[in-house]
Amino acid sequence: MTQPDPRTALSNQLADVLSNHSVQPEVKREITVTFRVSSDEKARLEQRCIGVVQSDYIRARLFDYSLPRSKSIIPEINRQVIYELKKIGNNLNQQTKAINEAVKVGYQPLSNEAKEYLQTLKELAEILEQTHRQLTQTIE
């Protein structure tokens, strides 16, 4: 079984952390349903759905799912920082994976320098994770 691309894996991991795990069950939804509402009804719906995807809210109310959690509103500056952190994290994961793969196939003995580099990468990954947690905690 092949490992997913590190960039994709990290991106998915960050997306999971940032995303709101909405209503259940997780199924592929292929059919679109539309309906008309008055302006007052639209205003009430928008008020109730602040920070929540409207379709998730409506689905929860119609089908007795648990109501989705309100998503955190992330300031633009934090979104930019998170984007940059994702890019750095992707690069770190790619480098770590390359070193580990090289060691597995025997191309490169794991020298002290490489071991120190791997440790530095792990420490940077932890710092990125902590920074991400701090950015999202200040929002809630």
Side-chain angles (χ1 to χ4, degrees):
M1 183 172 169
T2 60
Q3 293 289 330
D5 175 61
R7 177 174 285 181
T8 303
L10 181 62
S11 179
N12 290 341
Q13 183 181 2
L14 285 172
D16 286 344
V17 170
L18 294 175
S19 73
N20 173 19
H21 297 285
S22 59
V23 296
Q24 300 164 357
E26 294 294 330
V27 295
K28 185 172 183 181
R29 295 183 172 102
E30 301 169 332
I31 300 170
T32 301
V33 176
T34 58
F35 61 97
R36 295 183 186 273
V37 294
S38 69
S39 15
D40 289 341
E41 291 170 329
K42 175 69 172 166
R44 285 177 54 198
L45 179 62
E46 288 173 349
Q47 181 63 35
R48 291 181 182 188
C49 293
I50 292 176
V52 176
V53 177
Q54 286 183 6
S55 59
D56 288 346
Y57 177 82
I58 293 168
R59 201 175 293 113
R61 296 293 300 225
L62 283 174
F63 302 117
D64 297 322
Y65 298 148
S66 60
L67 288 173
R69 288 186 340 218
S70 179
K71 290 184 179 181
S72 301
I73 299 171
I74 301 174
E76 180 59 31
I77 188 69
N78 287 7
R79 273 188 254 148
Q80 291 172 359
V81 170
I82 290 169
Y83 174 76
E84 292 301 322
L85 289 174
K86 284 183 195 180
K87 287 179 13 182
I88 293 167
N90 287 339
N91 289 335
L92 293 174
N93 277 344
Q94 288 174 347
Q95 293 171 10
T96 303
K97 182 178 179 183
I99 290 170
N100 286 328
E101 289 298 317
V103 170
K104 282 181 188 175
V105 296
Y107 284 135
Q108 166 188 343
L110 196 54
S111 67
N112 285 337
E113 187 176 296
K115 286 180 185 177
E116 289 174 15
Y117 185 68
L118 276 173
Q119 183 58 37
T120 301
L121 289 176
K122 288 176 185 176
E123 290 169 5
L124 284 171
E126 288 175 22
I127 291 169
L128 287 172
E129 198 173 305
Q130 289 172 355
T131 304
H132 178 262
R133 279 195 303 267
Q134 290 172 349
L135 284 172
T136 55
Q137 282 177 352
T138 57
I139 297 164
E140 295 175 6

